[in-house]
Amino acid sequence: MLDVKELRAGYGDIEIVHGISLKVLDNQIVAIVGANGAGKSTFIKALMGMIPVKKGTVTFDGQDITSLDTNKICDHGITLIPEGRQLFPQMTVEENLDIGACTPTTRKDRDRKKEEMFELLPRLRERAKQMAGTLSGGEQQMVATARALMSSPKLLVMDEPSWGLAPILVTELFQTIETVRSEGTAVLIIEQNVATTLSIADWGYVFENGNVTMEGAGSELLCDEGLKKAFLGI
Amino acid sequence: VPQTVAPAATEAPTQAAAATETTTTDSADVPVVKIGFVWPLTGNSATIGQQHSDGALMAIEEINANGGIKSMGGAKIEAVVYDSETSPDVGSSRVETLCTKDNVDIIVGCYNSAVTFPASEVAQRYSTPFISMGGVKNEITERGYEWVFRVNNKASYDVAEMLKGVDLCLQASPDTAAAVEADGGLTYALVYESTDWGSDNARIWKEEADKRGWTCVLDEPVTSGQSDMSAQAIKIKKANPDVINFSFYTNDAIVFTKALFANKINPRLGVWSVGGGSQDAAFYKACSPAEYEYSFVQEDWNVSMPYLYDWAAKISEDCYAKNGYYITSFFAQGWTAAKVAIAAIEAAGTNDKEAIRQALVNLDVKLEDCADSHIILTGYPEIKFDQDGQNTFSSGTIIQYQNGVQIGFSPLSAATPGYSPIIPIPDDFATRGSTSKPWGTAPEVK
Amino acid sequence: MNTKEHSNFFQGKVFAILGLLILLIVPNFVDTNVQIVFILILFYALCASCWNIVCGFVGELSLGHAVFLGVGAYISSLLLMDCSLSPWIGMFIAAAITAVFGVIVGLPCFRLHGPYFALTTIALGELIRIFVENNETVFGINLRGAMGLVLKQSGNQFIAFEFANKITYYYVLVALVAVTILVTWLIKNSKLGFYLTAIKSDPDAAESLGIKLTKYKLIAMGISCFLISFAGTFYAQYFRYVGPSRIFSHDMSVQIALIALVGGQGTVFGPLMGACLLVPITEFLSEEFGGTLPGLHLFIYGIVMILVVLYMPRGIFHPVTKLFKSIEAKLFSFGKKSVQKGEK
Amino acid sequence: MGEIIRLEHVSKKFGGLVAVDDFSGEIETGSIVGLIGPNGAGKTTLFNMMSCTYPPTSGKIFYKGVDVTKARTDTMAARGLARTFQVTKPFGDMTVVENFMVGAFLHTKDRATARKQAEEIYDYIGMSCGRDKPANETTTVDRKKLEIGRALATKPELLLLDEVMAGCNPQEKLELVETCRKIQKCGITLVVIEHDIKTIMTLCEKIVILHRGAKLTEGTPEQVANDPRAISAYLGEDYHAGC
Amino acid sequence: MLDSVLLALIYGILQGGAYGAIALGLSVIFGVTRVTNFAHGAMLMLSTFLYYELFTRFGIDPYIGILLVTPVLYLLGMATQKFLITPLLKKERGTTQDPASLLLITLGLGYAISNLFMMIYGSDYKTIPTAASRSYLTVEIGDFLFTTQWSRVIAFLAAFIIGFALWFIINKTELGKKIRAVSQNRDAAAICGVDVYKTYAVAFGLGIAAVAVAGACLSEYYFVQPQVGTLFGTKSFLIVVLGGLGSIPGAILGGLIFGIVESVGAQFITSSASSMLTFILFMIMLFIRPSGLLGKGGKV
Ligand SMILES: Nc1ncnc2c1ncn2[C@@H]1O[C@H](COP(=O)(O)OP(=O)(O)OP(=O)(O)O)[C@@H](O)[C@H]1O
Ligand SMILES: Nc1ncnc2c1ncn2[C@@H]1O[C@H](COP(=O)(O)OP(=O)(O)OP(=O)(O)O)[C@@H](O)[C@H]1O
Ligand SMILES: [Mg+2]
Ligand SMILES: [Mg+2]
């Protein structure tokens, strides 16, 4: 469903991502792993139209979405859980979720979706009326996840969702991801938690200095010796 | 390019005329005389500066159309106009530019006293004659500068005239005078903007009033730029003075006048204005006649001029045709200051600055001799500078609005024949202004 | 910050030196009328540089800095008028008092941030203006209220800070500007400069590193006020008149801030560049159009500001030095290659 | 050795929310203490109070025996307490080394000395992005290291690290663990907040688990790992099983 | 004495409401876009000139003119955002936005607008002599006379109407939710599918539209002149800051405080001293509450 070809992007004059091609098929979990600074987040930003694409194309469900405005890309059914939460600090948790479904098409389902989210993450129901800015780091991450799911996206992009999460929650998070996929949403995930991620991923890409150096089925990659050395510290 | 009215503006018609005949004079031969003007064309007193400018430029146009400076072989006059932005440093820089770059022969300016101070000093330094116009601060001509002259009055003259006007009113209505006396003597309220101009007027008024034994019941400086003066009106009402004296520029004058009227404040000897905003044509467009009915204004010119002299009436008509208003104090000031500058050059017969200065020192123009020269539009009986460079004859008129018409009554020489001040002010708020004529209407001489 | 800017500045050195030479020498050979513009350029450059020392480094926008200019002007002029003290001495007394005044005022103000700070400084400026306009005497000192201070001419005496020709005034300013820029440069490369820049980027982090926010802001404020007071003395002596409605005006404050911002805040030479760009434009437009079409010059001024911001949002300093650098690189590309090799 | 910092019945309320609830404890000079707990347990809040970013609602804090409950952040730094921020706060306009210099200026006025110290720190914590890279162009790990280095530059005796390893991959985490050990060897006391249990278990001598603002348990890594309350509240059965 | 203080209080409240009405737009714009719109006064002035033209050319009363002028100003506001501010924000995308450049650009715009009108209309003071400005609300009980133009009363009421309308839009509508989201985190809003720049433009437009309504009320009792903006501009800033930037009730509250202090204060000290008093009070209040009376705590 997502097909990225030869994407090049960067900040200002500096090119960070040097021609990356990547595919996400229907109902797949695709993982991107790589060292810090490999350009994973930059790739995602370019994909989402948050920084300009220098070269290459992004097609989604057969439509060219290269360099559209971020909100237009969202309209196509891609949502992002950005690096570092990015909530609306002075709005309540509930309002944060509302914004997650604010386009005319998604708004219809809003209340039902919200209920679903509260079921999924009960902590949020407790905090529904609290200002998001005063939540703890982990609570904020939950809000960010729930907010992204509010619009029932076709593709969910997650940039380090386990950042700052307690181990219990990390486990829950990965369960959530599988639940989401089982409901028909494809997932593109960036994670430092390489082992767990690759174990649930259908396909994985390894980024290094803005290039894809390796790709393959999640379980295959897990067994790769070089990878083990580089990321798993074994 | 600074505004150069002269040759370009007036030559067009004359050239057209000349073309049908034959070329008479080679325009390149005609020497040019330059007069520099610095006025507030933006900022708080911009409307006033604009009227000065209108007056001066019309005066120059008139001279140029009538053959220029005769003693210099018909030299054309070129006006160089700058905006002072109502700022002392900009104003004095512009005067410096006039002295150095434009090399003008004489300078006229700058209306605001605060600008005139440093600006006239620059002229003094460059030994260029400077005619102060508008600025009433006493000290302008009290610094011993031989290059600085002032055509118009000092602040102390303004106030003295007004107090004399109040005296006249008391004389005109002995009943009122007796009533005032019975209440323990005359009381007055001073309301003024807290700039040097406003506070100066208030200070001088107080000094003069003390001599007469009058009591100050309210001394109220107001920061300029008010959008409501009800609070001040309440205060005045409580103080209940016999006379209110105010000094405001146009914007505050409008707001103040409206507040007084709304609150039905009616001091028995009237509301007196030092001028400033209430001499501005814009003031009368903004206020209805009912609001300024019966009020007294110290006009810096003789409002009867157009009715007393045909030539002045003609200028007033021309002014209306060109600018959309009849002569105002500011127009007259600009006109006369420009004319004085021209007269000095005419008398000097040369561009030499020292000669022009000498001509100014020796200048002596009487109103009755102005039938052809039209120098004195300000209604002074005479223009002659004392050793300080101050024109000691400069005087304004005290007028009262009666049925919307300006009626002059002090000094007696400028009185509109057949009228006397209406004192005490009638309490006719319900009908006031209903029979008023539009502003600028001439009084019917009885 | 430092290293980068240094290299920038020194790489554009041909132009920098050229520019400074123009500022130093050219005024000798032009009409008085042009000299006036040069004087105004340096005067505003001086004020803007002082503004920059506190606001540019700390990152707060003061829109009331004219107050300190005015206080300096008033004190030195009063000392001259009432105590017959030469402005050369008076200006140091004035500077010291202004600095103390600045610190006292800064103490509460620097608790505020962003727009709150900016607008409080506006209020402060207006307050002082109205206060001086309405009070003839303060603590027994005759301030002469709204009338302002008129300095008498005393003949062209050096001791009285009064000179026959503009060029002398100009060189006095050159000295003052040079001192200010030197001070700015020294600050920028000292502990103080690092601390101020740190405070600007993240006050919380700065505080956790042991930086006393208020203390360093106030030191900067004191230095800024000390120096701007000289500009005040110069203003008073040059125009020989100090009126509260101008020197304490909001317009003056905004003008000072504008020049520094357009030049590039937090840079050593930015304010000077800003003044070199804006002052001639204002002067030229005001002279050309002030008399014929009142308002046009300020209209164009506004448009210029918009354009500068749209195309150079961080001020003209960096783009201009970059431009100079590239021109220079082209002009001297010859000799440069060998130099580069040598460097490596 | 004695304790470097002691908290007595410290509580912090935000409006109605109790973030830290009657917490008491102390930290031995020279040790590495781990502070763990679920999200929102009040770990960062505890750090903020220890570094005097805001005062506790009630309770007292003693640093080296002195009551610092109402002290200010900047004076704490001068007394030898440094911290990092969970959300990194680099001085973006400055280069990496200049960031360190800001810290180093706490003990020197001289620019050259500060620069020298800053460069030493750059080498010491093993950064590789280039000394003169603008701080806002650095990667996540480098930002974390930048935070640590800047804090180190103030020559602290007590260093509070708030999730410096979050967002790092295992390899990088190992590096950081080494760095922490190195720092401890220099005689600096460390308090570390971290969610990665494996890392914290290997690094710390003592672990405190915070739960809903209160101390749930404390002890050596083994004690904690086997504490049933810790397992149910925080570590999860999975983790326990995994061990 | 009591009489006059009571009167002054009423006048002060009326005047304060009018101040609040003018300041509201400023507050909204700041709240959303974090732009301190220094062109606020100029835009107010611009709207009064439009009412003036409508009145003199077509005899349309400003209160009716609102229907025509407000949409125009709304578009103007949107255009300002779109062509001047959005490019700046886009340029600085990712980095924190620099308040200085936004200040400069709005200041420049203010200069340009007010001087453009200076060129076109000159510096004359013009008034719009409508029925409301010429008819008075008078309450006379014995010696006690309260009288004011109806237009001032309407201006006072307008403050609450505009305030309520804005509050409603921002807090109770879907659009408002988006506006608030954008104001708090534009990147996050974008990934939620909100068109950030359009929302900014809408918010800016709303703020300017509110100014246009206030302008109609103002032009009914004050005069029309290119300098009017400077006068009310500065005051609006102080009011908004006093009330708390971005807070709608705060703007009205700030206005009322200013109006009351000016008016009642003048009964005890001179008017110019009471203007000083407002400034002093302003500063004292800020030092006590650094983010304004109703401002949300913390840094802005
Ligand atoms: N705003 C920016 N401006 C300039 N360079 C940047 C910016 N943000 C990131 N970079 C640079 O881009 C490179 C890649 O960063 P990116 O955030 O994409 O890495 P990542 O793979 O997501 O790593 P991480 O695991 O740290 O999130 C880094 O070298 C970083 O220095
Ligand atoms: N300034 C504040 N105002 C109101 N509530 C706050 C504030 N800061 C923190 N809180 C609340 O206090 C609780 C503790 O927050 P804290 O940041 O200390 O958690 P934490 O243990 O660091 O969590 P995490 O591991 O997710 O960072 C949270 O519920 C949070 O919502
Ligand atoms: Mg990343
Ligand atoms: Mg935390």
Side-chain angles (χ1 to χ4, degrees), chain B residues 34-47:
Chain B
K34 281 187 181 175
I35 306 181
F37 297 97
V38 177
W39 278 312
L41 295 172
T42 49
N44 218 4
S45 35
T47 40

Side-chain angles (χ1 to χ4, degrees), chain A residues 85 136-138 164, chain D residues 38-45 86 162-163 193 195:
Chain A
R85 288 141 209 173
S136 82
Chain D
N39 295 113
K43 304 181 293 294
T44 304
T45 310
Q86 185 171 5
D162 195 350
E163 296 196 28
I193 295 180
H195 280 305

Side-chain angles (χ1 to χ4, degrees), chain B residues 110-371:
Chain B
C110 306
Y111 183 64
N112 313 80
S113 298
V115 182
T116 312
F117 265 125
S120 55
E121 203 222 3
V122 173
Q124 167 78 14
R125 224 183 300 139
Y126 283 94
S127 304
T128 303
F130 183 94
I131 297 180
S132 160
M133 180 230 52
V136 293
K137 202 151 180 66
N138 288 0
E139 289 83 349
I140 291 175
T141 46
E142 291 172 0
R143 292 176 294 176
Y145 288 172
E146 69 271 25
W147 292 92
V148 179
F149 300 84
R150 173 157 55 188
V151 185
N152 62 284
N153 46 351
K154 295 183 178 184
S156 51
Y157 295 13
D158 262 350
V159 175
E161 271 173 37
M162 278 199 296
L163 279 113
K164 246 188 262 157
V166 178
D167 291 341
L168 263 179
C169 287
L170 287 168
Q171 283 164 25
S173 169
D175 291 351
T176 320
V180 167
E181 215 42 60
D183 289 347
L186 187 139
T187 57
Y188 61 91
L190 299 171
V191 191
Y192 51 95
E193 68 162 50
S194 54
T195 59
D196 59 341
W197 172 68
S199 40
D200 237 27
N201 282 322
R203 185 175 49 78
I204 300 169
W205 176 291
K206 257 195 202 153
E207 282 166 14
E208 292 289 316
D210 280 350
K211 288 184 202 151
R212 288 172 164 79
W214 298 352
T215 329
C216 177
V217 288
L218 182 67
D219 179 0
E220 184 77 355
V222 181
T223 341
S224 59
Q226 299 289 321
S227 59
D228 184 22
M229 294 233 204
S230 302
Q232 287 73 13
I234 300 173
K235 245 179 149 173
I236 296 171
K237 196 157 198 183
K238 213 174 83 198
N240 192 24
D242 297 319
V243 176
I244 298 171
N245 170 242
F246 76 87
S247 352
F248 284 123
Y249 281 129
T250 318
N251 51 347
D252 292 319
I254 296 171
V255 176
F256 183 67
T257 306
K258 284 181 186 275
L260 284 188
F261 180 73
N263 285 282
K264 303 193 181 157
I265 291 171
N266 206 30
R268 52 186 148 182
L269 288 173
V271 179
W272 294 67
S273 150
V274 195
S278 40
Q279 300 179 75
D280 186 348
F283 175 89
Y284 297 95
K285 276 189 214 150
C287 290
S288 72
E291 286 161 341
Y292 56 81
E293 183 68 3
Y294 303 125
S295 64
F296 296 91
V297 180
Q298 193 276 341
E299 286 278 355
D300 284 318
W301 74 305
N302 181 354
V303 295
S304 306
M305 284 290 284
Y307 323 122
L308 298 175
Y309 303 98
D310 290 342
W311 57 269
K314 165 111 191 6
I315 294 172
S316 195
E317 286 303 326
D318 290 350
C319 176
Y320 186 81
K322 191 149 186 248
N323 306 314
Y325 58 85
Y326 293 103
I327 300 180
T328 61
S329 291
F330 304 127
F331 180 91
Q333 281 181 345
W335 174 284
T336 300
K339 278 289 178 108
V340 166
I342 295 165
I345 297 168
E346 180 81 64
T350 150
N351 276 25
D352 181 55
K353 288 178 183 169
E354 175 56 29
I356 296 173
R357 191 187 76 79
Q358 211 53 55
L360 279 169
V361 170
N362 298 329
L363 188 86
D364 186 359
V365 190
K366 295 203 170 54
L367 178 57
E368 58 263 31
D369 302 334
C370 286

Side-chain angles (χ1 to χ4, degrees), chain E residues 182-281:
Chain E
V182 169
S183 79
Q184 291 172 23
N185 192 334
R186 6 177 191 144
D187 291 342
I191 54 175
C192 291
V194 180
D195 188 339
V196 172
Y197 297 109
K198 196 175 131 205
T199 312
Y200 269 163
V202 168
F204 212 98
L206 274 179
I208 302 297
V211 172
V213 178
C217 300
L218 181 72
S219 66
E220 292 261 359
Y221 66 87
Y222 202 57
F223 38 73
V224 176
Q225 205 254 350
Q227 303 275 324
V228 165
T230 359
L231 179 67
F232 285 98
T234 315
K235 206 160 245 168
S236 305
F237 280 117
L238 300 182
I239 287 168
V240 166
V241 168
L242 180 66
L245 273 165
S247 157
I248 290 172
I252 296 182
L253 180 68
L256 288 175
I257 291 177
F258 257 70
I260 293 171
V261 171
E262 273 181 4
S263 174
V264 177
Q267 302 308 310
F268 299 96
I269 46 179
T270 64
S271 299
S272 56
S274 95
S275 322
M276 269 190 276
L277 188 67
T278 52
F279 288 118
I280 294 174
L281 203 75

Side-chain angles (χ1 to χ4, degrees), chain A residues 83-99:
Chain A
E83 198 173 10
R85 288 141 209 173
Q86 310 268 12
L87 300 184
F88 307 114
Q90 282 167 21
M91 291 167 86
T92 62
V93 169
E94 192 171 355
E95 282 174 324
N96 265 280
L97 298 190
D98 285 348
I99 293 289

Side-chain angles (χ1 to χ4, degrees), chain A residues 41 83 159-160:
Chain A
S41 301
E83 198 173 10
D159 194 351
E160 308 207 4

Side-chain angles (χ1 to χ4, degrees), chain E residues 127-202:
Chain E
T127 40
I128 307 182
T130 60
S133 68
R134 303 242 143 164
S135 55
Y136 284 79
L137 165 68
T138 308
V139 182
E140 208 166 356
I141 310 166
D143 247 5
F144 179 91
L145 170 70
F146 167 78
T147 168
T148 192
Q149 284 150 292
W150 269 108
S151 48
R152 286 183 190 270
V153 180
I154 295 173
F156 171 79
L157 296 175
F160 292 89
I161 297 170
I162 305 171
F164 178 78
L166 289 175
W167 177 86
F168 186 85
I169 292 175
I170 290 178
N171 286 303
K172 295 287 158 208
T173 65
E174 202 55 36
L175 173 68
K177 223 174 252 170
K178 284 188 198 169
I179 288 180
R180 278 184 298 144
V182 169
S183 79
Q184 291 172 23
N185 192 334
R186 6 177 191 144
D187 291 342
I191 54 175
C192 291
V194 180
D195 188 339
V196 172
Y197 297 109
K198 196 175 131 205
T199 312
Y200 269 163
V202 168

Side-chain angles (χ1 to χ4, degrees), chain A residues 36 136 138 164 166 168-169 192 230-231, chain D residues 39-40 141 167 169-170 172 195 234:
Chain A
N36 269 294
S136 82
I168 288 191
L169 291 172
Q192 293 296 354
F231 295 119
Chain D
N39 295 113
V141 191
N169 66 36
E172 292 156 345
H195 280 305
Y234 183 59

